[in-house]
Amino acid sequence: MIENEDADTTARREAYEELGVDLPSLEFVARVWSSPGVSTERQSLFLAPYRSADRMSDGGGVAGEREGITVVERLLAELAADVDQGRITDGKLLTLVLALRLRRPDLFA
């Protein structure tokens, strides 16, 4: 949820809290309706490079928010194969993997 900050700041804060990574740069992909006609919620989607040095903690979310997030890193080739086989069921992830494949095909070679 974005509260009293812009989408970029929120994305960076959430990445730090949930994934344990500091994201110095973000690349905007889209601002989309989560479920057009049903919900007024909009989601801002970003791509962001990171290195091992950008990992500040194990992530997992904020304890007081009871998020209980398990961080899983996967190879881009595995994600691409899952997209190609129709195994990605999260619309945000699907959109971001497709956007990354279009913008940076070299990462999937």
Side-chain angles (χ1 to χ4, degrees):
M1 296 294 287
I2 297 176
E3 296 179 19
N4 304 318
E5 58 191 0
D6 59 28
D8 292 32
T9 302
T10 300
R12 285 186 176 91
R13 178 178 49 76
E14 291 290 334
Y16 182 79
E17 291 174 1
E18 297 181 2
L19 306 173
V21 294
D22 178 40
L23 300 177
S25 68
L26 295 175
E27 182 179 341
F28 179 75
V29 173
R31 184 161 162 80
V32 298
W33 299 103
S34 61
S35 185
V38 176
S39 171
T40 60
E41 178 184 64
R42 293 191 72 187
Q43 300 168 339
S44 297
L45 305 178
F46 298 93
L47 294 171
Y50 73 94
R51 305 160 306 168
S52 296
D54 296 324
R55 181 161 301 285
M56 303 292 134
S57 73
D58 293 334
V62 176
E65 294 178 7
R66 299 181 186 175
E67 293 176 304
I69 297 165
T70 301
V71 177
V72 177
E73 289 185 282
R74 298 187 54 210
L75 298 174
L76 291 177
E78 291 174 0
L79 284 171
D82 283 349
V83 166
D84 293 343
Q85 297 299 313
R87 292 188 294 254
I88 300 293
T89 58
D90 181 283
K92 300 176 301 297
L93 179 58
L94 175 67
T95 300
L96 290 169
V97 172
L98 292 173
L100 185 59
R101 285 173 85 176
L102 284 171
R103 293 176 184 197
R104 293 291 311 273
D106 56 298
L107 296 175
F108 296 87

